[in-house]
Amino acid sequence: MKNLNILGIDTSCDETSVSVVNGLRVLSNVMPSQIEFHKKYGGVVPSIAKLAHIDRIDGVVTEALKRAKLEIEDIDLIAVTYGPGLAIALEVGLNKAKELALKYNKPIMGINHMEGHLLSSFVRRNSSKSENLSKLKKTNKTERNISSDLGDVEILNNVKFPSLGVLVSGNHTELILIKDFGKYEKIGETLDDASGEAFDKCGRMLGFGYPAGPVIAKISKEHKSNVLLKIVKKNQSVVASLTNKDSKKIYELPIPMVNSQDLNFSYSGLKTAFSNLVNSQKELDSTTIKDLSVLVEYANVSQVLLKVVKALTLYNFKEIWLGGGVVANITLRRLIRDLCKKNNLIFRAPYSNKVTGDNAAMIAVTSFINVYNLKALEDNKDVKLYTKDIQIMDRDPSLSL
Ligand code: KG4
Ligand code: ZN
């Protein structure tokens, strides 16, 4: 059975990303960041993103093929993100994919960006770069899929359903009931801001640049041993509480939605409460900034944890898959991994931070899984039979899983 070579393209937001995969394995994943262009605006500016994509896309395609040591002729399928995302940015990737497909007579498959994040834990490290694998195994940091010596199709055959997808990014905070590959049902979502957005906005209040999530995470990692964290019930509400071990100062932030019966999230309250907390400080000295960083991270990810705990009481999940930029956060990962251990569930998460944020490897791998799911590999049928017509696909930016 042939493992397909797939060229993936994602220009949904501010990353001009092109990747080549062979089956589930990444041969290259190129994504020059545009962050320096958007930083001063505190977020992504669509028109700037579009111009940068146009400027870079050809070079990134060439580089992705070069790093994969393949020619365009070796590619079996082109996968491209069609939505959701910034319409004018998506257009650049779609046009490039169509141009390549026409010129080189390749089939093309449109991929939902959120399905890409959902399946991002199936992206496998290239085996020729596997020298780190044994190290990962030793430190027990390896994820289920990459620790396995199985072939790609066996890995997919062994997945157990239903699984719970936990998508946490700059724009989405969602829980997905995964009945099978391609059969998804959204069972929870944010009613206002997303978790990543809250990280960025709260970080800004502490004077951090965009994106603030990784800055908060770094400070939290370094400072956590100086504080005590706990979740406490207060009257009708639930709060995250931090005590500084030296100063004995106590800070609190609410964890909303915990008492609601559904699986939805809310992050606007955290933003407001954090703004009040920051403004009530006499002085924002470096210890206070560190304390508040640890607390805001804890309050943010605890909401995800508590909703996942609730989801486990409602469905008979066998696995939990993490996806999205915020799952680079090690506190979130640790909480969900421990929960999986406790409940005997399989834990899957992207093997590297190159696959947590927006990237084309997850798009290419998602198209491989779509082809697998359509049984195209087993029957050795022509992939063309299974590709959707990209012209007629619904690209409503609100489209989401
Ligand atoms: O998935 P992503 O790259 O973009 C979207 O599609 O939204 O997610 C970006 C978000 C940003 O809000 C960023 O602050 C957050 O992910 N992020 C983190 C971490 N790394 C990235 N948040 C918390 N901890 C991190 N380590
Ligand atoms: Zn994304």
Side-chain angles (χ1 to χ4, degrees):
M1 191 175 346
K2 186 184 175 223
N3 247 4
L4 303 175
N5 287 327
I6 303 174
L7 180 96
I9 300 179
D10 183 282
T11 59
S12 58
C13 192
D14 59 334
E15 308 282 353
T16 313
S17 183
V18 180
S19 166
V20 177
V21 302
N22 176 257
L24 298 176
R25 288 201 187 271
V26 189
L27 303 182
S28 65
N29 189 20
V30 184
M31 42 186 164
S33 174
Q34 297 182 7
I35 275 180
E36 71 271 25
F37 303 143
H38 302 284
K39 217 167 190 159
K40 60 175 178 264
Y41 303 102
V44 175
V45 184
S47 54
I48 295 178
K50 176 190 166 168
L51 291 176
H53 287 317
I54 291 173
D55 193 41
R56 292 169 169 195
I57 188 80
D58 283 329
V60 180
V61 169
T62 307
E63 184 63 22
L65 286 164
K66 191 175 147 202
R67 287 194 202 171
K69 299 193 176 62
L70 291 178
E71 306 285 333
I72 186 82
E73 287 75 18
D74 302 320
I75 297 296
D76 300 300
L77 171 65
I78 295 172
V80 59
T81 301
Y82 65 85
L86 304 170
I88 58 172
L90 287 162
E91 216 66 57
V92 181
L94 275 162
N95 287 340
K96 180 50 62 184
K98 286 187 217 166
E99 182 196 310
L100 291 171
L102 270 177
K103 191 166 167 195
Y104 298 100
N105 192 26
K106 304 287 177 192
I108 188 169
M109 186 183 275
I111 298 294
N112 180 307
H113 181 79
M114 295 313 292
E115 187 179 16
H117 279 302
L118 190 67
L119 301 180
S120 58
S121 28
F122 291 92
V123 177
R124 300 181 82 184
R125 188 187 293 275
N126 189 358
S127 50
S128 66
K129 289 185 189 160
S130 62
E131 61 274 6
N132 292 329
L133 205 59
S134 52
K135 200 168 84 198
L136 272 168
K137 275 181 181 164
K138 265 185 218 140
T139 54
N140 201 22
K141 278 185 184 157
T142 185
E143 316 305 355
R144 172 82 185 198
N145 60 323
I146 57 157
S147 67
S148 162
D149 295 326
L150 298 176
D152 293 344
V153 170
E154 280 169 299
I155 285 180
L156 299 175
N157 285 345
N158 286 345
V159 173
K160 298 194 174 65
F161 299 101
S163 292
L164 174 64
V166 182
L167 293 176
V168 199
S169 74
N171 292 309
H172 294 81
T173 314
E174 295 177 355
L175 296 182
I176 311 290
L177 163 62
I178 307 159
K179 298 171 193 161
D180 198 345
F181 289 119
K183 290 201 184 116
Y184 312 119
E185 188 187 320
K186 201 191 308 178
I187 53 174
E189 65 185 323
T190 183
L191 302 177
D192 40 58
D193 294 346
S195 158
E197 197 177 349
F199 265 113
D200 293 334
K201 287 181 177 159
C202 293
R204 206 173 176 179
M205 295 174 205
L206 295 176
F208 305 149
Y210 172 85
V215 185
I216 291 175
K218 185 167 179 284
I219 293 175
S220 171
K221 188 176 172 214
E222 290 161 1
H223 189 62
K224 208 173 245 173
S225 57
N226 301 309
V227 304
L228 289 172
L229 289 165
K230 58 183 176 199
I231 294 172
V232 282
K233 280 197 177 147
K234 266 201 158 178
N235 304 323
Q236 296 303 315
S237 52
V238 176
V239 299
S241 165
L242 176 145
T243 309
N244 184 298
K245 288 181 191 167
D246 292 330
S247 67
K248 307 290 178 223
K249 273 191 189 164
I250 296 174
Y251 304 94
E252 287 178 350
L253 283 172
I255 307 177
M257 305 296 287
V258 180
N259 293 325
S260 76
Q261 291 312 304
D262 55 36
L263 296 173
N264 292 329
F265 301 86
S266 168
Y267 279 95
S268 65
L270 175 62
K271 223 171 53 189
T272 313
F274 192 68
S275 168
N276 292 338
L277 184 60
V278 171
N279 291 333
S280 68
Q281 301 306 308
K282 277 197 213 103
E283 195 193 354
L284 264 189
D285 57 32
S286 89
T287 308
T288 311
I289 288 177
K290 287 177 193 167
D291 284 347
L292 295 184
S293 295
V294 181
L295 179 63
V296 79
E297 178 193 74
Y298 188 60
N300 190 319
V301 302
S302 292
Q303 190 181 158
V304 178
L305 174 76
L306 294 172
K307 285 293 173 169
V308 169
V309 168
K310 180 165 272 180
L312 295 186
T313 66
L314 301 175
Y315 299 87
N316 185 24
F317 291 117
K318 312 278 196 317
E319 307 194 354
I320 297 183
W321 310 352
L322 298 186
V326 179
V327 310
N329 187 281
I330 53 169
T331 307
L332 175 63
R333 276 184 185 232
R334 194 175 303 134
L335 289 170
I336 305 284
R337 189 191 282 122
D338 291 348
L339 182 71
C340 284
K341 220 178 248 173
K342 214 170 108 192
N343 290 276
N344 216 5
L345 302 174
I346 289 171
F347 171 78
R348 296 183 196 268
Y351 77 84
S352 146
N353 288 357
K354 286 195 178 135
V355 199
T356 49
D358 292 344
N359 70 90
M362 69 183 191
I363 300 303
V365 157
T366 297
S367 75
F368 176 72
I369 295 176
N370 284 350
V371 174
Y372 155 87
N373 203 30
L374 292 159
K375 307 280 181 275
L377 293 176
E378 281 160 38
D379 303 345
N380 216 5
K381 285 181 190 157
D382 191 342
V383 179
K384 273 181 201 148
L385 291 174
Y386 300 100
T387 56
K388 297 172 198 161
D389 184 348
I390 201 123
Q391 303 292 352
I392 58 163
M393 274 188 314
D394 178 7
R395 294 200 297 104
D396 177 353
S398 67
L399 178 83
S400 180
L401 285 173

